[in-house]
Amino acid sequence: MTLNLQFMILLKFKLTPWFCSIIGLLSISLVGCNDSKKSAQKETLTVTNSSKQYELWELEPAPNRGHDFADVKARGYPYDEDWERWSYAIGNGTLGANLFGRTDSERIQLSEKTIANGGCYNRGGITNAAELYLDFDHPSVSDYRRSLNLNDAIATVSYRSGETGYQREYFASYPDDVLVVRLTADQLGGLSFKVRPEIPYLESKEARDSKRATVTASGETITLAGTIDFFKLKYEIQVRVLQQGGQLVTGSETIEVVNADEVTLLLAIDTNYELNTKVFSAEPSEKLDASLNPHERVSEKIQKAVALGFDQLKSRHLADYRDLFARVAVDLNSQVSELPTHQLLEAYQNGQQDPYLEELMFQYGRYLLIASSRETSLPAHLQGAWTQFEVTPWTGGYWHNINVQMNYWGAMSTDLAETFEAYIRYFEAYLPLAKQYAQDYIQELYPEQFSENPEENGWTIGNGANPYFLPARSSHSGPGTAGFTTKMLMEYYDFTQDEGYLRETAYPALVGLSRFFAKALEPTEDGLLLMNNSASPEMRHPKGGDHYKTIGTTFDQGFVWENHNDVLRAAKILGETDPFLKTVESQIPRLDPILIGSSGQIKEFREEDAYGDIGDPHHRHISHLCTLYPGTLINASKPEWMQAASKTLDFRGNDTTGWAMAHRMNARARLKEPEKAYEVYRKLIEEKTLPNLWTTHPPFQIDASLGLVGGVAEMLLQSHQGVIELLPALPQAWAESGSFHGLVARGNFKVSAQWEKGKLDQLSIKSRSGKHCRLKYSGLSTGSVFDENGRQIVFQANGSDEISFPTQKGMIYSVMLTLR
Ligand code: FUC
């Protein structure tokens, strides 16, 4: 375990003797505030990480009935139900694979984030890279089991056919950028199968999606080389077959393994895509470097992997992955289930309260985030890192009116900030074009505000981006969409406290956006500043029809408020004194971002009176509550807004799509409504979760799976108001006892806690950046604080529930709260 949880704060609340006996460890005599160092150490309880195993597993292979073309009209795409519901996804941020675990013909469906055709909007969309079949021809087997282990990011298959036992292991290595499949049999010479790749969708009906490809086998290698016309994309996939014992029979497109003892398959993918500004700004046919051939890069990856060999590949994969995954544990007092995953889900859907599944979904979300977004990859897209579609719904792109942000809602708080670096790289690459869009916008609409110095017009973006395309505006999501994006950039700083990043990336991004906003806001007669071309994402006119465009929606005004305030905060940290900051300061009081309507609701539109006057009252988006979550404008210091937000959520209801439930869950957690947060979490699992635990919009989208990670964390720990609040939204269902380990609070504090009967009884905090620590929990100020050397720390109390004290980087502090 890599957790650094040696340091802790031990809290003892107003424990009654019966409570002490229940929690056993605390049944020793309680110490007073002035007790000695020795007593403090003696009483300090060690919070350790649990090593609970999280696994998806089944006793049957995934079915593979292929695409259903019958209802293409209704859905708009052929539906590969078995892929979506039953296959297991592995990935390394760049390459993704869906595993079926079959014994007749195993299907490994491959994805790579830059393999794109014209897509549904003629501006690029990811498409299925290839299918790799392993023909075993084992039609009847026994003792079958397939699994996806989340602790190790390794999938397995095992079964018996005749006299022989077979095993497979699959993983997608980030350090070595290869997919590895290891096949063994318990009898020497027992392994015979054919490796047979297929390039799907070569017969596209649409010219924009057309592609050409060849499959050639030679010696131990099969090479798939293709071109997709739309972006003149070149891609290559190599499969290397390494066998021990037996022999290989190489055909023109296949390799047959005959009577081997064991086999390792290595697979690498690459394309001529390079993430840079040109890939967004150039014409489709000019975006990529035609002289670049991925062949060299793929061959190099394979050669390196061959040189390392299976054992090293596996240990390098495990070291890389475990370092991320094992940082956080959440125990909701559950037992590892003995049911295959689909039965576990069915039992839950039938009303069984099983905290194991609730933990599993949380850890699965963290797994999927690591598998779909890494430091050097593109960000996680609408389907994470996976697609089997020829034309992926919504291009499988980066939807900026909530979806791409939601992908990272759990990244910082569950100590996976590295995964967000993918978005930072992406942002830096598209920023020059986003600046051009701001210039165009201001020049066209506010020529009097236009500045000859391009930096002074800032930047802006629209909604539906992808690795090749950045939209300037959206027909249904207002300019606040860019503020939704900078919120993520600021959060990365708030959690990591990386000042270099704040200075070089986040602050310029925030200032740039505030500059754009400052020019685009229109003064009203009553002295307000309102955003024109404003929309509340995807809301339509009262009687249906077109998207509703107006002035000053809560979404747009709210994100201007958030960005303007974050700029000032960042400037203060960095000691920036740009005179433009005065403009920002003067605009904030004129934004009037929150209005309460006659139904007691947070208005979505200024012209709305009662709830539901405009648009769909049960719309999936709750854009007018984005300043509650992920923003901070609606917070506990404004109880009337909190109440109105709660009412608004009640009106909106939970009958909605997958990701929309995840937003409601986070919003309810922020409102400190534990039962309502839990209710919608349950509903997301019951109604929008598939047997492979992917969540669905529908269709399958990754956002809810990743958004719920943030939701669970938000129920256990909050820090958006400058104070670390413990167990702010702990529902009855989790209250009996439980713990979390390694969640991160803003200020870069690593926090672990344990509770019993709804009350905190252990808390450990490591200060990773040496910032001032503010803690909040009922009765906290009657306690004492000790550092890791047992030295008592003087803290300041703010009322009975809040304390604050300076910390030293790397130091651990313990607080003891005593019986009085
Ligand atoms: C947003 C949502 C849709 C869908 C799409 C990909 O625009 O409103 O429901 O999730 O993104």
Side-chain angles (χ1 to χ4, degrees), residues 300-363:
E300 202 181 308
K301 285 185 222 182
I302 292 285
Q303 271 152 25
K304 281 192 177 154
V306 170
L308 284 166
F310 176 79
D311 289 342
Q312 277 206 61
L313 286 167
K314 184 173 170 182
S315 57
R316 285 160 64 87
H317 159 72
L318 287 175
D320 166 71
Y321 175 79
R322 285 176 177 165
D323 172 51
L324 294 165
F325 184 80
R327 290 174 184 175
V328 166
V330 165
D331 188 336
L332 304 173
N333 194 22
S334 78
Q335 298 299 317
V336 175
S337 169
E338 294 190 349
L339 291 175
T341 307
H342 80 279
Q343 285 179 23
L344 173 68
L345 179 65
E346 272 167 23
Y348 193 89
Q349 289 166 336
N350 291 330
Q352 199 181 89
Q353 205 156 42
D354 187 345
Y356 178 69
L357 183 56
E358 290 156 2
E359 283 169 37
L360 185 62
M361 290 295 288
F362 168 79
Q363 290 294 13

Side-chain angles (χ1 to χ4, degrees), residues 6-80:
Q6 312 91 308
F7 307 112
M8 63 207 64
I9 290 176
L10 170 64
L11 300 178
K12 289 192 180 152
F13 296 89
K14 295 170 183 168
L15 304 176
T16 57
W18 64 266
F19 179 65
C20 292
S21 69
I22 286 175
I23 58 175
L25 281 166
L26 281 181
S27 61
I28 47 182
S29 64
L30 298 171
V31 294
C33 292
N34 299 323
D35 278 302
S36 69
K37 201 157 125 173
K38 199 168 147 230
S39 311
Q41 283 170 337
K42 184 176 141 209
E43 298 266 326
T44 297
L45 303 179
T46 306
V47 179
T48 54
N49 190 12
S50 85
S51 54
K52 199 184 271 181
Q53 289 297 299
Y54 293 99
E55 193 185 42
L56 278 60
W57 61 280
E58 295 294 344
L59 298 175
E60 302 273 346
N64 182 28
R65 291 163 297 175
H67 290 93
D68 178 1
F69 287 90
D71 65 348
V72 175
K73 263 230 155 77
R75 291 176 186 273
Y77 49 84
Y79 184 41
D80 188 343

